[in-house]
Amino acid sequence: MTTKAEVLEVSVWRGSADGGALETFEVPARESQTVLDVVSWIQQFADPTLTYRYACRVGMCGSCAMMVNGTPRWTCRTHVQKVAEGNSLRIEPLRNLPVIKDLAADMDPFFDKWVEAEAVHHPTGTRHDPIAHVDADSGARQAADAGIECINCAVCYAACDTVAGNADYLGPAALQRAWTLLNDTRDGGGASILDAVSGGGGCHNCHSMGSCTQYCPNELDPMSAIAGLKRETVRRVFRRRRDA
Amino acid sequence: MLDFRLYMAQRLTALIMAPLVLGHIAVMIYAIQGGLSSAEILGRTQGSLFWLLFYGLFVLAVSIHAAIGIRVIVHEWAGLKGAALSALTWATGLGLLAMGARAVWAVTAA
Ligand code: FES
């Protein structure tokens, strides 16, 4: 579908935590226009009260994610031409998160779960120690490297049907970060990470549906990271047996 | 909702069930060759410790496996949680176990 039409029909979700509805705007179509350009145009030329969030505009900060025609996307790097249905766009706040206002979702539950998953650095040295040697070729380092480019945009979290059905589930981003730290030789939190991802909302709730991996704008693979966590939690039980 | 313990219980019972399912199907196919009456089948199963253990273990594994599966579905699709969800899990498991054990006993008791 190309958007040769001069004007885009854009329905934008307006409202707050108490509810809201779609409002339609007509936005001039431009070549190489991104979805974020469209939202910014509306805010600048049609309705200055429209609330949304962005910072870098180049796919690094992870703050501009929204639902575009029902699919979670980083809007600053999503071309309208690629996602418009005919000449219409439907833009809504990220799924699976509470709304603050209009297109700005409340990211608190998302980041609280990173902490809950022990996806925080557990230092093993101090600034007085020599710089840790990291073997770039080791399997563990490669497993960590595969997941560290996460920009915390919450697209995976919005895409995940397990999050939608199970509010306690930690979600793909937090679990993937837990996995990269588990594989980082400089992180000393192995046991507490495995404990944290084994609870009621942990990695074992994942059904491997793969929406996280399919929609991650950075082409990361949280589903495999979560599978890695499941494997390690099981291995740990047998390791304990042997050591006992 | 599905913690490590429940996850392992469901995986391990699946491991137990896999060969038992195959054994069950194989016996079904074998048993009806040439037309076998229920009296003849009962003649072989009644008083058999082997079939008591085979189907007893099967029923136990199914009860645990299915109860956890139902728990996940009901939580994600119907939003049931907390004590009510636990009660449903136990009721499903114990209900299946009671019905299954009764059936196993009916065909294996001497
Ligand atoms: S604005 Fe920074 S990732 Fe889109």
Side-chain angles (χ1 to χ4, degrees), chain A residues 162 165-166 198-201 204-205 207 230 233-234 237-238, chain B residues 1-5 7-8 11-12 72 75-77 79 81:
Chain A
T162 306
N166 178 356
S198 295
H204 305 98
N205 290 282
H207 298 299
K230 289 179 186 169
T233 52
V234 174
V237 174
F238 292 110
Chain B
M1 187 263 323
L2 189 67
D3 61 12
F4 180 69
R5 220 168 25 100
Y7 170 86
M8 282 304 272
R11 290 324 181 261
L12 290 175
V72 171
H75 176 68
E76 287 187 17
W77 286 40
K81 51 189 172 211

Side-chain angles (χ1 to χ4, degrees), chain A residues 50-122:
Chain A
L50 176 65
T51 303
Y52 65 111
R53 202 191 272 126
Y54 77 97
C56 72
R57 296 179 296 120
V58 291
M60 291 183 70
C61 71
S63 57
C64 66
M66 300 167 202
M67 304 301 291
V68 182
N69 287 344
T71 300
R73 299 192 182 275
W74 52 357
T75 54
C76 71
R77 304 235 3 219
T78 301
H79 279 104
V80 171
Q81 274 160 322
K82 292 226 176 90
V83 295
E85 286 160 4
N87 68 335
S88 66
L89 276 181
R90 192 175 77 253
I91 308 176
E92 295 158 291
L94 274 182
R95 178 179 176 239
N96 292 342
L97 287 164
V99 175
I100 298 174
K101 179 173 173 285
D102 300 342
L103 300 173
D106 181 355
M107 305 292 282
D108 276 356
F110 176 71
F111 286 114
D112 288 346
K113 287 178 178 177
W114 283 58
V115 179
E116 232 179 281
E118 282 293 328
V120 294
H121 183 47
H122 311 82

Side-chain angles (χ1 to χ4, degrees), chain B residues 1-89:
Chain B
M1 187 263 323
L2 189 67
D3 61 12
F4 180 69
R5 220 168 25 100
L6 290 172
Y7 170 86
M8 282 304 272
Q10 205 183 23
R11 290 324 181 261
L12 290 175
T13 48
L15 268 175
I16 294 170
M17 276 155 58
L20 295 180
V21 168
L22 293 178
H24 174 68
I25 293 172
V27 169
M28 300 299 282
I29 293 170
Y30 168 77
I32 57 163
Q33 303 286 325
L36 201 60
S37 71
S38 37
E40 283 170 314
I41 293 177
L42 284 176
R44 293 175 198 190
T45 56
Q46 277 174 341
S48 160
L49 182 65
F50 174 79
W51 290 120
L52 175 74
L53 290 178
F54 184 97
Y55 280 108
L57 184 64
F58 204 161
V59 161
L60 185 66
V62 166
S63 307
I64 296 171
H65 190 86
I68 300 170
I70 298 277
R71 173 189 172 86
V72 171
I73 295 168
V74 168
H75 176 68
E76 287 187 17
W77 286 40
L80 200 67
K81 51 189 172 211
L85 186 63
S86 294
L88 182 89
T89 309

Side-chain angles (χ1 to χ4, degrees), chain A residues 2 25-27 43-44 51 54 63 71 109 115 138 154 163 178-179 184 186 210 215 225 231 243:
Chain A
T2 50
F25 296 91
E26 298 206 325
V27 179
Q43 197 265 337
Q44 282 166 27
T51 303
Y54 77 97
S63 57
T71 300
V115 179
S138 76
V163 172
W179 172 245
D184 190 329
R186 295 162 302 176
Y215 293 104
R231 219 167 38 234
D243 295 346

